[in-house]
Amino acid sequence: IALATAAKVLPPWLLHDNRNRLSVCNKICYAIGGAPYQITGCALGFFLQIYLLDVAQLDPFYASIILFVGRAWDAVTDPTVGFLVSRSPWTRFGRMLPWILFSTPLAVLSYFLIWYVPPFENGKVIWYLFFYCLFQSLQTCFHVPYSALTMFISSEQKERDSATAYRMTVEVLGTVLGTAIQGQIVGMANAPCLPGPGDIVADLSNSSMSVGLNVSEPVISLEHTRTAYMIASGVICLIYILCAIVLFFGVREQKESCRLRSEPMSFFQGIKLVMGHGPYAKLVMVFLFTSLAFMLLEGNFALFCSSTLGFRNDFQNILLAIMLSATLAIPFWQWFLTRFGKKTAVYTGTLSVVPFMILVVCLKSNLIVTYIVSFFAGVGVAAAFLLPWSMLPDVVDDFQVQNPESTGHEALFYSFYVFFTKFASGVSLGISTLSLDFAGYISRGCSQPEEVDITLKVLVSAAPVALIIIGLCILYSYPINEERRQGNRKLLLFSHRDNEVDSETDSTELANMV
């Protein structure tokens, strides 16, 4: 009765706006849910390759198989989980949140076991491949529903964009946290490198000067390094659990009360549906190439710093400088896309990192210069974090305007985007590690062959720059500009108001009957 009375007094669109306005607390709780994906993803992206090669001491060929198959499996699970989520029934906790809750415990356990070196040699490859694939599957059950949750925390585009900005800020903070935890803990127990033939000759020439000087220095063994990796993974697992709890209890998922969902469709029908929408297909292609560029940089930068630049004891701090800079730049890019439009922001933000990719390989090795270049490169990395997730809701809205009778497919759009980015990550890590194998990479070597240095320079500079240029060329034909985006927003707003009026009329008639 009270609701019916309120509906008679207040305009329906005012009730609609009040219901869909998110508090700062809601936005923060929603944003915190994005941290686990970035913390674990950053730790795996920056450190898993060097961990498999130098700590687990796997052959580069087998390491490339683990990295590629794990990410390829992860990519396949994304549209599968998106398909299952889109067919999930509504519960009293929502449709997305139960997936997040039940996937967390096993995801945490499998993540911890990735960083454990088993006490046997023959089955190491199977061990890492199994738990890497298992973790990726379970994290997909967390991240796909979480990504699609953007469309269910509010129907107001302004509120969703604001929540996305909060989310991107926390996610970049998550990358800083992941880099800091993994890098600093592991950096304190970094096992010394193994001298190669050239290093041994140099050591013999200076042996008479170095006898007896290092007797009292503490020796860090490989076992210490392995323990440090396990401690870091344990800390990250605790953060993962806390973030999932905050998300589950701090966010309310809104039911699609004002529109009916379409009939469930098959998996391949879902693929045809989302990829048949032109703006979505072009946006995915754009960020497929740009994501591949940044993932090549991410996956090989630690090795590049430690092997090519010679900063074996400082690479974790250089990575931290990049992520800290990206965190500070997020508010700037949020203002920039609001002021100049999202498409312009993509061009500006992505191109801003190109000069620094070139400088870092062209300048002579210098720690101070590397810190400066890395800090400014982080500004461009921030744009790569924010803009894809800010543009995806626009594509979903555009699809809803053009297909008003086809609803309830938000999870499919998000899952296929994540599929392509993870597939790009798998390709980048697999190809780059295999390239190092062909170049003659030496595990834990104090120095590397010249071919390895050249390969690393290509992987962190030339290849990413070429991929960025291809992606931006595709972006030129992306059709959703600011005018079209605002038009879609108005059409959806009017649609929601009409549905609210119908709902208010039905409620009034029901109250009169009672």
Side-chain angles (χ1 to χ4, degrees):
I1 295 173
L3 287 174
T5 304
K8 293 178 181 179
V9 175
L10 296 175
W13 56 85
L14 183 57
L15 291 173
H16 172 77
D17 290 343
N18 289 334
R19 277 202 305 270
N20 287 283
R21 189 168 290 123
L22 300 173
S23 67
V24 173
C25 182
N26 291 142
K27 295 175 184 177
I28 292 175
C29 289
Y30 166 74
I32 287 174
Y37 179 77
Q38 294 300 335
I39 293 174
T40 56
C42 188
L44 290 169
F46 279 131
F47 294 95
L48 183 59
Q49 184 190 54
I50 199 169
Y51 168 80
L52 293 176
L53 294 174
D54 291 354
V55 180
Q57 295 187 310
L58 296 180
D59 184 90
F61 175 75
Y62 292 117
S64 68
I65 291 176
I66 292 169
L67 294 171
F68 174 73
V69 173
R71 287 303 180 98
W73 172 258
D74 184 26
V76 171
T77 60
D78 278 293
T80 305
V81 171
F83 171 72
L84 294 174
V85 169
S86 67
R87 296 173 67 96
S88 298
W90 181 269
T91 69
R92 66 191 184 98
F93 298 111
R95 190 150 56 95
M96 308 296 169
L97 291 174
W99 283 84
I100 294 170
L101 178 67
F102 291 116
S103 66
T104 296
L106 290 175
V108 165
L109 177 62
S110 58
Y111 178 80
F112 181 79
L113 292 175
I114 291 173
W115 303 101
Y116 172 72
V117 180
F120 47 80
E121 289 294 327
N122 293 334
K124 268 187 180 181
V125 176
I126 302 299
W127 173 280
Y128 289 116
L129 185 59
F130 174 77
F131 284 110
Y132 190 36
C133 290
L134 179 61
F135 171 72
Q136 299 287 17
S137 301
L138 292 166
Q139 191 184 48
T140 297
C141 294
F142 182 106
H143 188 61
V144 168
Y146 173 74
S147 300
L149 190 62
T150 308
M151 303 300 295
F152 296 95
I153 56 175
S154 174
S155 61
E156 290 293 326
Q157 188 183 65
K158 183 179 179 180
E159 293 296 310
R160 294 200 306 256
D161 285 346
S162 177
T164 299
Y166 275 81
R167 171 189 167 184
M168 291 302 106
T169 303
V170 171
E171 287 193 355
V172 178
L173 283 171
T175 64
V176 174
L177 194 59
T179 306
I181 293 172
Q182 192 83 7
Q184 299 305 313
I185 293 177
V186 171
M188 290 187 295
N190 196 12
C193 60
L194 300 177
D199 302 313
I200 292 175
V201 172
D203 289 342
L204 288 175
S205 66
N206 298 320
S207 59
S208 60
M209 301 173 58
S210 59
V211 173
L213 294 179
N214 298 324
V215 175
S216 61
E217 291 185 4
V219 177
I220 298 176
S221 66
L222 184 60
E223 195 62 36
H224 291 133
T225 305
R226 291 174 176 176
T227 302
Y229 271 99
M230 290 182 64
I231 293 172
S233 66
V235 174
I236 289 175
C237 287
L238 289 176
I239 296 173
Y240 194 118
I241 294 172
L242 290 174
C243 291
I245 292 173
V246 170
L247 173 65
F248 185 80
F249 289 104
V251 174
R252 182 182 178 185
E253 186 178 341
Q254 295 184 8
K255 192 172 183 179
E256 300 170 288
S257 58
C258 60
R259 55 192 175 105
L260 297 174
R261 295 180 65 201
S262 301
E263 290 296 322
M265 60 177 61
S266 69
F267 177 73
F268 292 103
Q269 286 177 324
I271 296 177
K272 184 178 180 181
L273 175 76
V274 298
M275 296 309 297
H277 187 58
Y280 178 79
K282 290 179 180 178
L283 186 68
V284 165
M285 291 300 294
V286 169
F287 290 114
L288 172 64
F289 283 100
T290 56
S291 296
L292 181 56
F294 282 102
M295 287 172 184
L296 276 174
L297 178 65
E298 177 190 59
N300 296 281
F301 199 70
L303 274 178
F304 174 75
C305 290
S306 61
S307 298
T308 303
L309 297 182
F311 305 137
R312 183 175 178 84
N313 297 321
D314 298 285
F315 75 89
Q316 67 272 11
N317 298 323
I318 296 172
L319 298 178
L320 188 59
I322 294 175
M323 293 298 102
L324 183 60
S325 170
T327 303
L328 297 175
I330 283 286
F332 166 76
W333 288 117
Q334 177 63 22
W335 168 83
F336 191 94
L337 68 87
T338 304
R339 177 69 176 82
F340 298 101
K342 297 181 181 181
K343 195 170 178 178
T344 303
V346 173
Y347 276 113
T348 307
T350 308
L351 287 174
S352 66
V353 78
V354 170
F356 302 105
M357 285 181 174
I358 297 173
L359 280 175
V360 78
V361 299
C362 291
L363 294 177
K364 193 172 182 179
S365 178
N366 183 288
L367 186 59
I368 303 290
V369 173
T370 303
Y371 271 117
I372 295 173
V373 170
S374 299
F375 184 84
F376 283 103
V379 177
V381 172
F385 273 104
L386 174 65
L387 296 171
W389 296 108
S390 180
M391 296 174 77
L392 269 174
D394 301 336
V395 176
V396 177
D397 286 345
D398 188 75
F399 176 83
Q400 291 176 357
V401 167
Q402 296 186 26
N403 303 272
E405 74 289 346
S406 184
T407 59
H409 306 307
E410 291 83 359
L412 289 177
F413 281 94
Y414 280 84
S415 63
F416 275 101
Y417 170 74
V418 177
F419 162 79
F420 283 111
T421 56
K422 288 183 177 179
F423 181 79
S425 175
V427 170
S428 67
L429 287 173
I431 291 177
S432 59
T433 310
L434 197 59
S435 300
L436 292 174
D437 184 30
F438 292 147
Y441 178 81
I442 303 171
S443 295
R444 293 179 63 198
C446 293
S447 62
Q448 298 291 340
E450 184 180 357
E451 292 81 2
V452 173
D453 292 338
I454 294 173
T455 301
L456 286 171
K457 287 180 179 180
V458 171
L459 291 173
V460 302
S461 180
V465 169
L467 290 167
I468 285 173
I469 292 173
I470 294 172
L472 295 183
C473 288
I474 299 173
L475 180 65
Y476 182 78
S477 63
Y478 177 67
I480 301 180
N481 52 24
E482 287 304 298
E483 181 181 355
R484 181 165 169 176
R485 188 174 72 87
Q486 293 295 337
N488 289 340
R489 178 179 177 275
K490 292 177 181 178
L491 289 172
L492 290 174
L493 180 60
F494 291 145
S495 176
H496 283 304
R497 286 178 177 177
D498 291 340
N499 287 323
E500 288 292 329
V501 171
D502 294 339
S503 178
E504 184 267 342
T505 302
D506 293 340
S507 299
T508 303
E509 292 177 355
L510 181 60
N512 291 334
M513 291 173 63
V514 173

